[in-house]
Amino acid sequence: MPNRSKNQQPTDASDAAQAEADAIRIGKGRATPSRREREAARRRPLVPADRKVAREADRERMRVERQRQQAGLAAGDDRYLPARDKGVQRRYARDYVDARWSVGEFLVPVVVILLLSTFLPFPSPMKESISSYVLFVVWGFFIITVIDCFVMGSLLTRRLREKYGEAERGLRWYASMRTIQMRFMRMPKPQAKRGQYPA
């Protein structure tokens, strides 16, 4: 291969490509990037070049994060629960409520059905008596629900004191509010099956 002087440069594109290939083959097999090249690779613009793509990427990331939070909330994962649902005693109360049959969980559908029945086209005298009976049944069902919640709260408090030494404040109300919700609407989702009371 003919010798070249130090000041002699490649005269065409093929010589330049050959010189670059020779440089790459030396050492670790690739050219070492300069400091300026490394800094440029790390530098990110404050405003992305394609704002539409950036917005879509942000929306997708937020959608995935919301799905993860909703799944964690439904599963009762403490990391995703609001403050009112966190803690071992709150989890115990939820499991206890979900394990039992409660009058309160039928309160809403029964009241809705009874109230809708008052709109049926009955004769006028009969309609008045039906409305009176419906009101009587709704109030009776409500009173039974309150009694059931009171009994459930007392039993739950006794269990919590036996297990943890004392019961947190507000747990009876927390459990009662869960009791009057229909099972499939409860959040966090029930983790205990019917009859599967927590130890």
Side-chain angles (χ1 to χ4, degrees):
M1 188 174 181
N3 293 329
R4 293 180 178 172
S5 64
K6 292 182 180 178
N7 296 328
Q8 186 177 358
Q9 298 295 329
T11 57
D12 54 23
S14 62
D15 288 342
Q18 182 64 38
E20 186 178 350
D22 291 342
I24 291 175
R25 281 198 297 270
I26 298 173
K28 55 190 183 221
R30 58 182 174 82
T32 301
S34 66
R35 180 178 179 181
R36 181 177 298 175
E37 291 170 342
R38 292 196 303 269
E39 288 178 352
R42 288 196 300 266
R43 192 178 298 121
R44 294 180 180 176
L46 293 176
V47 179
D50 193 336
R51 296 186 181 184
K52 183 177 180 181
V53 173
R55 282 198 302 269
E56 289 177 356
D58 285 341
R59 279 198 295 267
E60 179 64 19
R61 185 168 59 252
M62 291 172 64
R63 185 185 67 80
V64 171
E65 180 63 24
R66 280 196 302 271
Q67 285 181 340
R68 182 163 56 245
Q69 290 176 353
Q70 289 173 354
L73 173 62
D77 190 336
D78 263 3
R79 293 174 297 175
Y80 302 102
L81 293 180
R84 69 181 179 87
D85 293 316
K86 286 185 177 180
V88 292
Q89 291 199 26
R90 303 270 168 163
R91 176 182 288 274
Y92 188 97
R94 289 196 301 271
D95 290 345
Y96 183 80
V97 170
D98 296 336
R100 69 192 297 269
W101 288 94
S102 303
V103 178
E105 62 187 292
F106 303 104
L107 177 63
V108 172
V110 166
V111 169
V112 169
I113 292 171
L114 289 174
L115 290 179
L116 288 177
S117 69
T118 61
F119 293 99
L120 295 176
F122 294 111
S124 182
M126 185 183 295
K127 191 168 187 177
E128 291 178 4
S129 60
I130 287 176
S131 297
S132 300
Y133 286 129
V134 165
L135 186 61
F136 178 77
V137 172
V138 167
W139 273 107
F141 206 90
F142 179 76
I143 292 170
I144 294 172
T145 299
V146 171
I147 294 172
D148 181 57
C149 287
F150 180 80
V151 172
M152 179 274 304
S154 299
L155 295 173
L156 174 62
T157 302
R158 186 168 64 188
R159 280 173 168 254
L160 289 171
R161 284 175 180 163
E162 291 173 356
K163 186 173 179 64
Y164 299 104
E166 62 177 349
E168 292 179 6
R169 293 183 61 183
L171 269 179
R172 289 174 70 128
W173 179 257
Y174 176 77
S176 297
M177 291 300 99
R178 190 172 178 86
T179 297
I180 63 175
Q181 294 176 342
M182 289 181 285
R183 185 179 175 87
F184 71 91
M185 295 182 65
R186 293 172 182 170
M187 192 63 68
K189 294 292 185 185
Q191 303 298 311
K193 297 178 181 178
R194 300 281 192 186
Q196 186 181 357
Y197 290 93

